Amino acid sequence: MRAIQLTEFGGPEVLKVVEMDVPKPNGHDVLIEIKAIGVNYADTARREGQYVVDTPLPYVPGSEVAGVVKAVGDKVTSVKPGSSVVTLLGTKNATGYAEYTLADERGLIPIPDGMDLHHAVALPLQGLSAYHTLKTMGRFENGETVLIHAAAGGLGTIAVQLARLWGAKTIIGTASTEEKRQLASDMGVDVAVDYTKDGWEQEVLAATDGNGVDVILEMAGGDVFRKSLKCLAPFGRLVIYGVASGEQSRFYPSSLMEKNQSVVGFFLPQMMRKPSLYQKSLEELLNYMKNGELQLTIGGVFDLEKAAEVHTLLQGRKTKGKLILTP
């Protein structure tokens, strides 16, 4: 089978097309013929050796796939060959950028009737992340204000819609281009801000009449984190779910005390260890989609061999919505 593999850390050029053996399922594993692969910032962090946990080399990136079950292990009872499924793969060696992969039957999600594979693969990672950064970690409540960075991205567009569904008073979204800010506005953003301009934090504060934002979703790190912290309201919660800039931030924890503020981290694989949390939330997300209350924005579909090009586009802020690879 074809796969995209890296044997060293670095830029997009380290992603190489290779031939590998098709894996054989044992125990609770199933063999999935991959039809759609979700591309995420976590994949670029893996490639650069900057991920939250260590990345073993050689490595086939990709943790989010949709496809058809082709074979099952001897302990599998919940799924049959021919089933269309979507799943999040393990973080140790995901093997998602490939034509086939193995996945544990207990993490498979049947794709609802009428939902195409591209939209199905766009939901789990970013949908669950948007849900839990807002509600579980951000403790969002009806009537609060929200600041969502990268509001035109895959996670951002979902987070904007969820904040609207859950009764946000004001949704502020940042994006780097006019086209992206228009998309964010179409999704439900009240105030679209260009965070590439100096002083963007003052625009955020002005949108809240100087009161600050109750919940902030932050994934850039560096200067964006520092300025976001200035926008946080008393009792506000800033949720970190990535460091896309590669720049770690330092701040004085005691500075949070004056206004009873919180800075919390989010890592989806930890959430997946609590089935009661992720299963219920995924069902809720699927119902939103079924009822037409949640739209998924597909930013582009690319051949598997163009993985390096897609990483370049993603990190160069050249994309909007969810990017998908197809074998």
Side-chain angles (χ1 to χ4, degrees):
M1 70 175 185
R2 290 174 301 136
I4 302 295
Q5 187 184 71
L6 58 124
T7 58
E8 60 180 323
F9 299 123
E13 70 279 358
V14 303
L15 298 173
K16 306 294 185 182
V17 180
V18 298
E19 287 289 333
M20 303 178 67
D21 292 334
V22 175
K24 296 181 179 179
N26 293 300
H28 288 283
D29 287 339
V30 301
L31 176 66
I32 299 174
E33 182 181 6
I34 299 174
K35 300 296 185 181
I37 306 157
V39 180
N40 300 285
Y41 266 105
D43 301 343
T44 68
R46 284 284 203 183
R47 192 199 72 230
E48 294 173 343
Q50 300 293 326
Y51 194 54
V52 178
V53 298
D54 291 339
T55 298
L57 295 177
Y59 186 77
V60 176
S63 59
E64 189 178 36
V65 301
V68 178
V69 175
K70 302 301 289 186
V72 301
D74 57 353
K75 295 183 179 179
V76 172
T77 60
S78 63
V79 66
K80 296 180 180 180
S83 304
S84 294
V85 297
V86 62
T87 190
L88 293 175
L89 303 172
T91 60
K92 187 174 182 180
N93 197 356
T95 318
Y97 287 15
E99 292 183 293
Y100 293 90
T101 193
L102 293 181
D104 192 308
E105 66 164 324
R106 292 163 289 193
L108 298 179
I109 304 160
I111 296 176
D113 292 340
M115 183 181 296
D116 67 81
L117 293 174
H118 290 168
H119 283 82
V121 83
L123 181 64
L125 194 150
Q126 290 171 329
L128 288 171
S129 294
Y131 186 104
H132 290 292
T133 49
L134 273 174
K135 181 169 282 190
T136 307
M137 308 308 298
R139 306 191 308 280
F140 172 82
E141 296 182 1
N142 180 37
E144 291 190 314
T145 57
V146 181
L147 168 61
I148 300 170
H149 287 296
L155 186 150
T157 53
I158 297 175
V160 168
Q161 294 175 80
L162 291 178
R164 179 61 64 206
L165 283 169
W166 295 339
K169 176 182 178 182
T170 303
I171 302 173
I172 305 167
T174 69
S176 58
T177 68
E178 180 60 37
E179 184 181 14
K180 290 183 180 182
R181 290 191 290 276
Q182 183 59 56
L183 173 60
S185 297
D186 292 343
M187 292 292 102
V189 162
D190 298 303
V191 180
V193 175
D194 182 355
Y195 68 98
T196 67
K197 294 170 54 178
D198 290 337
W200 61 262
E201 70 275 20
Q202 297 303 321
E203 191 173 346
V204 171
L205 287 170
T208 66
D209 296 324
N211 296 318
V213 180
D214 297 307
V215 180
I216 300 176
L217 306 188
E218 200 281 303
M219 42 63 70
D223 191 55
V224 174
F225 169 82
R226 290 187 287 271
K227 290 183 177 180
S228 295
L229 201 55
K230 295 178 181 179
C231 300
L232 200 58
F235 295 94
R237 291 84 67 197
L238 191 158
V239 183
I240 301 170
Y241 67 94
V243 190
S245 69
E247 181 186 351
Q248 295 290 342
S249 302
R250 296 182 178 180
F251 75 104
Y252 294 99
S254 59
S255 66
L256 303 172
M257 295 169 60
E258 181 183 357
K259 296 182 180 180
N260 291 343
Q261 297 166 325
S262 302
V263 174
V264 298
F266 173 80
F267 186 45
L268 183 61
Q270 287 292 340
M271 191 66 61
M272 300 300 288
R273 296 179 182 180
K274 293 183 175 292
S276 61
L277 275 177
Y278 82 81
Q279 289 174 348
K280 180 180 178 181
S281 55
L282 188 57
E283 289 174 2
E284 190 172 342
L285 289 168
L286 288 170
N287 282 330
Y288 286 146
M289 289 186 63
K290 181 180 178 181
N291 296 333
E293 298 173 295
L294 179 63
Q295 301 177 38
L296 299 183
T297 302
I298 306 300
V301 180
F302 303 83
D303 292 339
L304 179 65
E305 288 82 356
K306 293 186 177 180
E309 177 184 331
V310 173
H311 276 219
T312 299
L313 292 172
L314 184 62
Q315 292 185 288
R317 300 175 182 174
K318 303 297 184 182
T319 65
K320 56 184 180 180
K322 184 72 173 184
L323 301 182
I324 295 170
L325 294 173
T326 57

